[in-house]
Amino acid sequence: TRVLYKVQEEQPPNTLIGSLASDYGLPDVGHLYKLEVGAPYLRVDGKTGGLHTNDNTPNFASPVLTLSIPENTNIGALFPIPLAMDRDSGPNGVASYELTAGTEAQELFGLQVAEDQDEKQPQLIVMGNLDREQWDSYDLTIKVQDGGNPPRASSALLRITILDMNDNAPKFEKALYEAELSENSPVGHSVLQVKANDSDQGANAEIDYSFHQASDVVRRLLRLDRATGLITVQGPIDREDIGTLRFSVMAKDKGANPTSARTQVVVTIKDMNDNAPSIEIRGIGLVTHQDGMANISEDVPVETAVALVQVSDRDEGENAVVTCVVAGDVPFQLRQASETGSDSKKKYFLQTTTPLDYESVKEYTIEIVAGGPGDPPLSSTNSLKVQVVDVNDNAPVFSQSFTEVAFPENNEPDDLVMEVSATDADSGSNAKLVYSLVTDPASKGSFTIDPDSGEIRVKAVLDREQRERYEFAVVATDKGSPSKTGTATVAINVMDRNDNDPKFMLSGYNFSVMENMPPLSPVGMVTVIDADKGENARIQLSVEQDNGDFVIQNGTGTILSSISFDREQQSTYTFRLKAVDGGDPPRSAYVGVTINVLDENDNAPFITSPSNATYKHILPHTSPGQQVSKVKAEDIDSGVNAELIYSITGGNPFELFQISPQSGDITLEKEILRKHHGLHRLVVRVNDKGKPSRHGTALVHFYVNETLANRTLLDTLVGHSLDTPLDIDIAGDPEYERSKQRSNILFGVIAGIVAVTLVIVLVVLVRYCRQREAKSGYQAGKKETKDLYAPKQASKSGKSKSKVKKSKSPKPPKPTEDEEETGLQKSLKFNLMNDSVSDSPRIHLPLNYPPGSPDLGRHYRSNSPLPSIQLQPQSPSASKKHQVVQDLPATNTFVGTGDNNSTGSEQYSDYSYRTNPQKYTNKQVGELILRPAAAPPLHRGAIWTEVWE
């Protein structure tokens, strides 16, 4: 076509002259415009056909550049790319190159531009692993741009072809091929096509097919295409001569070291008498066909075209009408390519209908059937083998995700424990598995696994007592890229053997128990262990040298006593325990047991000295701080139960004495005064330190006086002290305190009101009257001629009668020595008066004092009438004490105190203390006075005071 444009001269570069597409309606898509004549003054836009004045755009020598790179090329290898040319120079020349790649190639290739003087050399860099079987070619775009202003650029298609390496063997799509052949089929008619695939390329993938072990009949009638595997007719086929042809086909590649494969073919001769439609299958798009085999990746999208199918029939008319369908249940269908064409010749696209899965079906034989409505209707078939190319999309799977086995301890190293197995639904290297173990640090090195077979062996001698269970992961890794893994858990339970003795936790046991525990009380517990398990660790305990004193509970290890302990009889028991396990043969162990009986405070202290009935004489000039006595006691208990503490609990109102709590030494603490003369009774308590504490009580008597004149009377007073309650103080001469008390009362009466004075006068008058009635009383200064100890006769005084004495008593017989002591105790009885009475008449009672006392005879040298006992009313003191006064010579003065708990000497010896019921309910006051006839005026009598609370 001739097109004429006019343009003014001397226009600037890149001036638009005209557009062929828009000016003349030429196509603007699907075509490439190229200027053949007119350079270098003009340029044409390759897409729009626009003509511009030329400023020399850089261009490649060809719009399509081709590079061939072998598969498995090392990463980082460089391949030069043809240079782009620019007629301009300097800054307007070639300035830069840019490479654009699709998603499948952007991580595999890169661009590097090397500069040599003024020339820029583009180079392709291999950045990833190339595998022709996965991807055999890549299309990239390379762009070149000059340095002009504005810059100009052009692009070219860079097609990279991956060259094959012979690393795959041929493989038939089917192990058995079957086909039907119509009789009278012409020579060259396609019977079937065997397809062996080789993932390699070129000569490495060129397969040579040949008959193998075929009969002469087969070789005469059929022809096998050595290149395509297509079996065709080469001789007349007559079903009546032969109905079935059976033979093998061998496929061998043309590599340097060729390999081969065989398949079985069965051809059934079909009786037909006309022409059947013919079917032609060809490759399409990126899906290549080689020898009747199409390779397609399992991850292609649905409706991907696999082949172009052309169906024709050499008949005419109605017999030439042909339709074509895909036979069988396969995920493929035919879609008519166009509505144009004749009825006898049609084209179809063979495309997928569902996603492909290599793991489900690895290859398909797609049988295409073409037929027509002829009479009889005829049809023909052709097949295409589609091999699904595997993608590593499946991880290895173990037959069991968890496996538990039992394995005995004390094994031999390298013993086989078990074998694991996993499968991978992929194929090739994607399905080749390598086994490994993942163990915890404590189990590292104990087990190994064969990476190919999955056999697990033990490398060390297992000891169940150190570790009873091992659990680790077994990992199966395929050799795909990227690889996938599967994991299973293996648990190994170590079986026990009876290789350990029972073991007591201690080498010997010492238990301490309290005495007096009841029988069958627990005295201790032992713990015995056996590092084995089950029956090997079931332990029976028994007491060795069993005398019946102890038993042991098997379930708890508790030792029980069959007896009650008494430490004072036996303090230590020793025996031996035996532990036997239930293994075969059984193993045993022994341990010694010692039972120490601890003391219980079940014994009170025992007073060894002094005796309760003894006394100690103390001179009045004894210096304070001097030891005057010592209390000794023993306790048959032990420990703190036998540690004793001494204390004075009664009879020390003046704090004249002190006892050492530890030693029991009694010392005089104060200077002895006149009021301290007489008998002192200390109530000493000896406590042990047990819980609860037990105690014993001792009575320690001291007699403070210049001499020991009347020992018999002193012994009597000590005996009376033993019958006196312990809460009554017997301490020195109480008359001294009595005189002070009377003085205080007198001062109070004088300072009182008139009513008090009248009461005093009344008391004096009553006293006077009482004295007149008591004519048999003692008269001071009167010399008596009769025996001091003779009883006073009632006939000698008409005033001897009293309110108490109603009749004359006969003269008593002379008592014996024992009767004298008994009579003295009986004569020391006293009458009680209610404390609410301020005064009472004096009661005169005869005292049956034993005559003939040698001590009293030495003290009273003149004969005097028998002293009498007079109860004289006294004013009650502030504390309302019940006082009984007995006038005795100074050498016989004593004081005693006690309480309602009257304790005799026999009771103290038994270490018991019993509380008597309360003797009196009201506080009462009375006075008992003994006045010897010839008592010296300076000697004062002793007072015996008893108080009830």
Side-chain angles (χ1 to χ4, degrees), residues 4-24 41-55 152:
L4 179 62
Y5 286 103
K6 293 182 179 181
V7 62
Q8 297 292 330
E9 64 176 344
E10 296 182 358
Q11 294 296 316
N14 203 32
T15 299
L16 177 64
I17 298 175
S19 175
L20 297 176
S22 60
D23 294 344
Y24 293 94
Y41 301 103
L42 298 175
R43 72 173 180 86
V44 64
D45 188 292
K47 295 183 178 180
T48 64
L51 291 175
H52 300 265
T53 58
N54 190 6
D55 62 349
R152 302 194 62 79

Side-chain angles (χ1 to χ4, degrees), residues 887-900:
D887 292 340
L888 289 176
T891 55
N892 295 327
T893 301
F894 71 96
V895 176
T897 62
D899 56 13
N900 291 344

Side-chain angles (χ1 to χ4, degrees), residues 375-447:
D375 186 19
L378 300 175
S379 64
S380 63
T381 63
N382 199 354
S383 61
L384 173 67
K385 289 189 178 295
V386 177
Q387 182 174 358
V388 181
V389 179
D390 183 41
V391 175
N392 192 22
D393 56 350
N394 290 277
V397 177
F398 283 90
S399 57
Q400 289 182 309
S401 60
F402 179 82
T403 304
E404 188 170 11
V405 297
F407 190 76
E409 64 175 336
N410 302 331
N411 58 284
E412 294 294 331
D414 208 36
D415 281 352
L416 176 64
V417 179
M418 63 175 299
E419 182 177 348
V420 295
S421 177
T423 58
D424 194 316
D426 295 323
S427 66
S429 61
N430 296 334
K432 292 181 179 179
L433 303 181
V434 176
Y435 297 96
S436 61
L437 298 181
V438 178
T439 61
D440 57 83
S443 303
K444 189 174 183 180
S446 298
F447 300 91

Side-chain angles (χ1 to χ4, degrees), residues 829-900:
K829 296 181 180 178
F830 45 83
N831 292 333
L832 305 176
M833 298 181 63
N834 192 288
D835 56 359
S836 63
V837 181
S838 61
D839 198 358
S840 63
R842 177 178 299 177
I843 302 175
H844 178 79
L845 295 176
L847 175 62
N848 294 327
Y849 197 84
S853 174
D855 291 339
L856 292 179
R858 287 195 298 270
H859 184 74
Y860 300 102
R861 302 191 182 277
S862 62
N863 293 329
S864 62
L866 181 67
S868 62
I869 298 176
Q870 297 179 351
L871 291 178
Q872 298 180 358
Q874 301 291 328
S875 298
S877 62
S879 61
K880 298 183 180 180
K881 294 182 178 179
H882 178 203
Q883 298 177 339
V884 179
V885 180
Q886 178 181 0
D887 292 340
L888 289 176
T891 55
N892 295 327
T893 301
F894 71 96
V895 176
T897 62
D899 56 13
N900 291 344

Side-chain angles (χ1 to χ4, degrees), residues 94-276:
V94 175
S96 63
Y97 291 90
E98 181 181 347
L99 185 67
T100 303
T103 57
E104 73 281 356
Q106 62 183 1
E107 294 183 358
L108 297 176
F109 303 101
L111 179 66
Q112 175 178 303
V113 179
E115 294 189 10
D116 185 10
Q117 295 180 356
D118 294 335
E119 187 178 60
K120 292 181 172 59
Q121 173 64 54
Q123 294 176 322
L124 184 69
I125 306 174
V126 178
M127 300 172 60
N129 296 321
L130 301 179
D131 187 355
R132 190 205 63 79
E133 285 73 31
Q134 292 187 1
W135 206 282
D136 58 358
S137 66
Y138 300 89
D139 288 341
L140 290 74
T141 301
I142 184 168
K143 178 181 178 182
V144 62
Q145 182 173 300
D146 63 16
N149 187 14
R152 302 194 62 79
S154 65
S155 301
L157 178 66
L158 179 60
R159 177 162 292 168
I160 301 173
T161 302
I162 308 301
L163 301 179
D164 183 56
M165 302 293 290
N166 190 18
D167 55 353
N168 292 280
K171 183 178 181 181
F172 279 98
E173 294 179 353
K174 294 173 62 176
L176 174 65
Y177 288 87
E178 295 179 330
E180 290 184 352
L181 179 63
S182 298
E183 62 178 339
N184 301 322
S185 295
V187 174
H189 177 73
S190 175
V191 180
L192 60 86
Q193 187 177 21
V194 294
K195 181 65 176 178
N197 299 314
D198 194 319
S199 299
D200 295 326
Q201 196 177 35
N204 298 327
E206 293 181 5
I207 299 177
D208 182 46
Y209 298 93
S210 61
F211 288 116
H212 180 71
Q213 296 179 351
S215 64
D216 294 337
V217 175
V218 172
R219 295 179 183 273
R220 178 172 56 85
L221 296 178
L222 300 178
R223 175 180 177 275
L224 174 62
D225 191 313
R226 299 182 69 91
T228 64
L230 181 64
I231 300 175
T232 59
V233 176
Q234 70 173 0
I237 304 299
D238 188 354
R239 188 194 62 80
E240 287 73 23
D241 290 342
I242 184 169
T244 304
L245 299 175
R246 297 178 183 273
F247 55 92
S248 298
V249 175
M250 177 183 290
K252 182 184 297 184
D253 64 23
K254 297 181 180 181
N257 297 314
T259 58
S260 62
R262 291 189 299 272
T263 186
Q264 294 292 322
V265 179
V266 177
V267 178
T268 302
I269 307 300
K270 184 179 181 181
D271 188 19
M272 296 294 292
N273 202 23
D274 52 4
N275 295 311

